[in-house]
């Protein structure tokens, strides 16, 4: 399967090599073409990431507002992203595509004869014409079987006249780039193996050794620049920041390791990708920076208009309340309508009970005391014993009215009478009061029983 995927990349790389005549430049052009093919997707990803970064302030406000309610916070953040046409996952897929390309390119670089040139495997197997010619000319390789085609390809290119007639698919590839053989693999312990008295020995080995290091540094620099120009979205919180720090460390280390265990051509490709990525990031940031600034200004203007409209409606509501001209909102939920209807029915039942009690009191000749202005519900002095309703609208008579209200309240003692005055109440009066209280208690009990039986009968009827 991988061979089928790798062959188009190998053919493209070979075509570029034939075009420019240099393997290192061909790899650069290959990396450039990959960037151009990925450009539309990366444009979309970059735009989405910059929009997310531009919403960091709003996301932080939501995090403070809904602290401790993660479900509500996620809903509000998703709503915010949807309103601003941001897809948090748009950049994830496209960042993974370069890795399959890298694997396919590795396969093409590792097997140049069969993948890039399309030479049949039978010609390289035992008894094949190319392998027989290689053995005849004394070819030997120190590489393992996975990379033996690199050595075979270099040997064929060095003696191309001897092999050209064996197959029309064979191609002459110049692996030398800046004095470095891109088919070789870097050695971390090259200093102990090269001849330091011979420049042609240690200089290429040093160049190979520097390729993984430069690759790791460029990978780190590319990631740091990307993060600086596009800050991490606040929606991810500390976890996203921690993941980004881990990526900053792991990606360069992975680049360093891979470039040490694979041919130098792959390391050169990785360096090219990082350099092109840095250039692309700078261009994208300059281009989208202007667009994001414009969108931010429009968003802030819309927020100001919305806030002004909300304030206008609030002031209008306050004015209507002050004038007593507010109207109930009929556009409400079914639950609220049912709750309001239940409250109205309860109030009607309570009013009927009060009327019945008042009628029975009238039949029994019990006079009901007038409720004072301070009474709220059954609490007679909820607003205070000296409460006067018009104390602010009529301040001139407020002091006198307050004193009068206090004097009329039960248990009032005048300021000059600090001692408790005990008044003897005639026995007949006490008996009459007790009888009235008992009658009132019985009336209340009977009324409650009637309401209970009425509710029971209505329930039975409905059932």
């Amino acid at each position: 399967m991988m061979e089928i995927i790798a062959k188009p990349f190998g053919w493209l790389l070979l075509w570029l090599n034939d075009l420019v005549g240099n393997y290192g430049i061909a790899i650069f052009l290959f990396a450039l073409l990959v960037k151009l093919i990925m450009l539309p997707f990366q444009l979309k990803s970059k735009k989405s990431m910059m929009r997310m970064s531009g919403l960091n302030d709003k996301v932080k406000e939501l995090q403070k507002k809904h602290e401790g309610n993660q479900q509500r916070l996620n809903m509000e953040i998703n709503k915010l992203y949807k309103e601003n046409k941001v897809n948090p996952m748009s950049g994830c897929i496209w960042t993974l595509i370069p890795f399959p390309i890298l694997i396919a390119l590795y396969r093409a670089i590792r097997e140049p004869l069969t993948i890039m040139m399309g030479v049949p495997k039978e010609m390289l197997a035992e008894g094949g014409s190319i392998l027989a010619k290689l053995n005849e000319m004394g070819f030997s390789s120190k590489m393992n079987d996975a990379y033996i085609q690199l050595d075979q390809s270099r040997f064929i290119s060095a003696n191309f006249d001897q092999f050209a007639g064996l197959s029309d698919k064979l191609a002459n590839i110049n692996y030398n780039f800046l004095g470095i053989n891109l088919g070789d693999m870097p050695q971390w312990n090259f200093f102990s193996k090269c001849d330091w008295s011979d420049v042609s020995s240690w200089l290429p080995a040093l160049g190979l050794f520097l390729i993984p290091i430069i690759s790791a540094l460029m990978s780190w620099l590319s990631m740091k620049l990307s993060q600086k120009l596009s800050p991490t979205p606040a929606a991810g919180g500390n976890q996203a920041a921690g993941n980004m720090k881990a990526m900053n460390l792991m990606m360069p280390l992975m680049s360093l390791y891979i470039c040490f265990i694979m041919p130098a051509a792959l390391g050169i490709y990785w360096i090219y990708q990082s350099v092109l990525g840095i250039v692309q990031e700078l261009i994208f940031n300059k281009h989208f920076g202007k667009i994001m600034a414009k969108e931010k200004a429009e968003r802030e203007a819309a927020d100001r208009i919305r806030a002004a409209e909300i304030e206008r409606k609030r002031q209008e509501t306050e004015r209507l309340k002050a004038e007593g001209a507010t109207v109930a909102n009929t556009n409400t939920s079914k639950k609220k309508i049912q709750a309001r209807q239940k409250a109205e029915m309860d109030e009607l039942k309570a009013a009927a009970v009060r009327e019945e009690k008042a009628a029975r009191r009238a039949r029994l000749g019990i006079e009901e005391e007038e409720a004072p202005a301070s009474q709220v519900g059954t609490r007679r002095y909820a607003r205070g014993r000296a409460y006067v309703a018009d104390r602010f609208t009529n301040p001139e008579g407020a002091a006198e009215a307050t004193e009068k209200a206090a004097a009329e309240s039960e248990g009032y003692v005048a300021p000059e009478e600090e001692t408790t005055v005990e008044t003897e109440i005639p026995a007949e009066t006490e008996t009459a009061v007790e009888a009235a209280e008992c009658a009132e208690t019985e009336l209340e009990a009977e009324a409650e029983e009637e309401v209970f039986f009425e509710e029971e009968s209505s329930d039975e009827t409905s059932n």
Side-chain angles (χ1 to χ4, degrees):
M1 181 65 180
M2 183 53 66
E3 183 176 344
I4 297 173
I5 298 173
K7 278 189 175 182
F9 292 99
W11 296 337
L12 176 60
L13 188 58
L14 181 62
W15 178 78
L16 292 171
N17 178 76
D18 293 340
L19 182 67
V20 297
N22 186 284
Y23 196 49
I25 298 175
I27 292 174
F28 170 76
L29 294 176
F30 180 87
L32 182 61
L33 282 174
V34 170
K35 278 291 181 185
L36 291 175
I37 293 170
M38 296 293 297
L39 187 62
F41 310 111
Q42 290 176 340
L43 275 168
K44 185 177 180 181
S45 173
K46 179 65 177 178
K47 189 175 182 179
S48 181
M49 288 297 294
M50 290 190 72
R51 275 181 174 166
M52 286 180 66
S53 301
L55 296 173
N56 278 352
D57 292 338
K58 287 186 175 290
V59 170
K60 288 177 181 178
E61 290 177 5
L62 291 174
Q63 288 173 341
K64 290 180 181 178
K65 183 177 179 181
H66 302 289
E67 186 177 2
N69 189 349
Q70 190 63 37
Q71 185 178 2
R72 180 66 177 176
L73 175 62
N74 292 337
M75 289 174 60
E76 291 296 329
I77 290 175
N78 290 335
K79 181 181 177 182
L80 176 66
Y81 285 162
K82 188 176 181 180
E83 289 174 353
N84 290 274
K85 300 178 181 179
V86 173
N87 182 7
M89 301 302 294
S90 64
C92 298
I93 298 175
W94 311 118
T95 56
L96 299 176
I97 290 180
F99 288 98
I101 295 175
L102 187 69
I103 295 171
L105 180 63
Y106 161 70
R107 184 72 180 271
I109 290 172
R110 193 187 73 178
E111 302 176 21
L113 295 175
T114 55
I115 301 297
M116 288 176 61
M117 302 178 195
V119 174
K121 292 183 179 180
E122 293 78 11
M123 299 184 73
L124 297 170
E126 197 68 35
S129 58
I130 294 178
L131 182 61
K133 188 67 174 179
L134 287 169
N135 293 333
E136 180 186 334
M137 297 183 67
F139 168 78
S140 63
S141 175
K142 295 180 180 179
M143 287 189 171
N144 57 38
D145 293 340
Y147 298 100
I148 193 170
Q149 282 195 31
L150 278 169
D151 266 354
Q152 290 174 340
S153 176
R154 282 182 294 181
F155 189 85
I156 291 171
S157 296
N159 304 277
F160 192 70
D161 294 340
Q162 303 290 327
F163 290 87
L166 298 178
S167 174
D168 59 349
K169 293 184 178 296
L170 289 174
N172 189 357
I173 298 177
N174 180 15
Y175 287 94
N176 187 38
F177 180 66
L178 301 177
I180 301 172
N181 190 334
L182 297 182
D184 288 337
M185 287 189 291
Q187 300 290 328
W188 63 270
N189 58 346
F190 78 97
F191 50 84
S192 62
K193 296 182 178 181
C194 63
D195 183 5
W196 289 96
S197 62
D198 185 4
V199 177
S200 62
S201 175
W202 63 263
L203 189 59
L206 178 62
L208 284 171
F209 176 79
L210 290 176
I211 287 176
I213 297 173
I214 296 172
S215 175
L217 288 175
M218 294 304 296
S219 177
W220 176 83
L221 181 61
S222 176
M223 295 187 68
K224 289 294 289 185
L225 182 65
S226 177
Q227 290 173 28
K228 185 178 180 180
L229 297 178
S230 300
T232 305
N238 295 330
Q239 184 178 0
N243 292 339
M244 193 59 67
K245 287 182 179 179
M247 287 290 289
N248 286 344
L249 180 64
M250 291 302 298
M251 287 299 291
L253 289 177
M254 186 173 70
S255 172
L256 182 70
Y257 173 73
I258 289 175
C259 292
F260 261 118
I261 64 171
M262 293 186 181
L266 203 66
I268 290 292
Y269 171 78
W270 204 307
I271 293 172
Y272 287 154
Q273 279 289 322
S274 297
V275 173
L276 291 172
I278 291 172
V279 174
Q280 175 183 278
E281 194 69 27
L282 292 172
I283 295 173
F284 280 5
N285 191 72
K286 185 176 180 180
H287 172 69
F288 286 118
K290 297 177 182 178
I291 297 175
M292 293 302 113
K294 184 179 178 181
E295 288 185 357
K296 183 179 180 181
E298 292 174 354
R299 188 166 56 246
E300 289 176 350
D303 289 343
R304 286 194 296 270
I305 293 171
R306 191 182 300 113
E309 181 66 16
I310 292 172
E311 179 62 20
R312 185 190 67 76
K313 289 182 179 180
R314 187 192 67 79
Q315 292 178 358
E316 180 68 13
T317 303
E318 292 294 330
R319 184 184 66 79
L320 292 173
K321 283 183 178 179
E323 295 175 358
T326 54
V327 180
N329 183 14
T330 57
N331 184 17
T332 185
S333 65
K334 186 176 179 181
K335 287 185 177 180
K336 289 184 178 179
I337 293 173
Q338 291 175 347
R340 185 171 65 248
Q341 290 175 347
K342 185 177 182 301
E344 291 173 356
M345 291 298 297
D346 292 343
E347 181 61 29
L348 289 174
K349 289 181 180 179
V353 172
R354 286 196 298 271
E355 290 177 3
E356 181 66 23
K357 287 174 65 177
R360 291 193 181 190
R361 284 174 180 272
R363 288 198 301 269
L364 293 172
I366 302 174
E367 295 183 0
E368 188 174 358
E369 295 184 14
E370 184 180 353
S374 62
Q375 183 166 333
V376 178
T378 59
R379 298 166 60 201
R380 191 171 181 78
Y381 300 111
R383 297 188 177 96
R385 293 178 180 273
Y387 174 76
V388 177
D390 60 347
R391 62 189 182 284
F392 295 116
T393 57
N394 184 23
E396 292 80 5
E400 183 180 351
T402 300
E403 184 66 26
K404 183 180 178 182
E408 291 176 355
S409 64
E410 296 178 3
Y412 171 76
V413 179
E416 62 273 9
E417 298 177 4
E418 296 183 359
T419 57
T420 305
V421 180
E422 296 182 0
T423 306
E424 292 185 2
I425 301 174
E428 295 82 358
T429 304
E430 289 183 355
T431 305
V433 171
E434 290 176 359
E437 291 177 351
C438 290
E440 185 177 353
T441 304
E442 290 175 0
L443 284 172
E444 292 177 354
E446 290 176 3
E448 290 176 359
E449 288 178 2
E450 288 179 3
V451 171
F452 174 77
F453 285 123
E454 287 176 2
E455 292 178 353
E456 287 288 328
S457 60
S458 63
D459 290 343
E460 290 175 2
T461 304
S462 63
N463 293 332

